[in-house]
Amino acid sequence: MKGVPAVDRWLVVGLGNPGPEYAGNRHNAGFMVLDELAARAGGRFKAHRSRAEVLEGRLAGAPAVLAKPLSFMNLSGGPVKALADFYKVDPARVVVVHDELDVPYGALRAKLGGGDNGHNGLKSITKSLATRDYLRVRFGIGRPPGRMDTAAYVLRDFATAERKDLAFLVDRAADVVESLVRVGLEATQNTFHAVDLKPAGPPR
């Protein structure tokens, strides 16, 4: 993106684990959303020296870099920091898309800053950027049922009932990212926090 002023550029990062064995996992929701954004941009990810796959283009009319770290989740911060430095993107214009246990499946939330809620990807990014003040798009996956281990839950594929709505939610999460770039956080929250998808599931 030669000639693009750094202040105008966005860095959008989707979190996940690399490799086909992880592709359908709940923990890879961020990768799924970035793939949708790449499809909308009509481009393909390419390897970058920051240990990430990147796509340079435009997002909601603004210059942007889409990225998927090639490190595992708990080491996401290194590639994100390297990309922010390489493209000269301020943390305030970094958007991280990630799965979120504390948001129910079918809901999406946008926020600026805050804690990591035990999410190792966010923990690594916060440490590497030396700030919590970056934007997040939280893709709700809900809490594991019963006494299922949390680590096992996030590393499992979405359930059959969940997959009925997954494509819709990924598409909607991509809309949230574009809205953040186009109109900012408050307007995005007002639009996308108002109504949650109520996914079809088994009778309770």
Side-chain angles (χ1 to χ4, degrees), residues 43-121:
R44 293 184 178 183
F45 286 102
K46 298 180 180 178
H48 190 271
R49 67 187 187 187
S50 62
R51 290 181 297 133
E53 291 184 335
V54 304
L55 170 59
E56 300 179 17
R58 299 189 73 81
L59 184 67
V65 178
L66 308 181
K68 298 191 296 184
L70 293 175
S71 62
F72 283 94
M73 181 70 80
N74 62 335
L75 299 174
S76 298
V80 174
K81 173 70 164 115
L83 286 166
D85 289 347
F86 182 84
Y87 289 103
K88 298 180 173 59
V89 179
D90 187 88
R93 294 177 78 85
V94 173
V95 182
V96 177
V97 186
H98 64 93
D99 58 300
E100 178 56 65
L101 288 160
D102 288 337
V103 174
Y105 185 72
L108 302 165
R109 296 287 181 265
K111 66 180 290 190
L112 172 66
D116 55 58
N117 289 342
H119 194 291
N120 289 329

Side-chain angles (χ1 to χ4, degrees), residues 148-181:
M148 182 187 293
D149 179 68
T150 299
Y153 176 72
V154 300
L155 291 175
R156 287 189 180 182
D157 288 359
F158 285 95
T160 301
E162 293 171 328
R163 287 199 294 272
K164 294 177 182 177
D165 298 296
L166 184 57
F168 172 83
L169 285 171
V170 168
D171 186 71
R172 189 169 172 85
D175 290 344
V176 174
V177 175
E178 291 184 339
S179 178
L180 283 173
V181 171

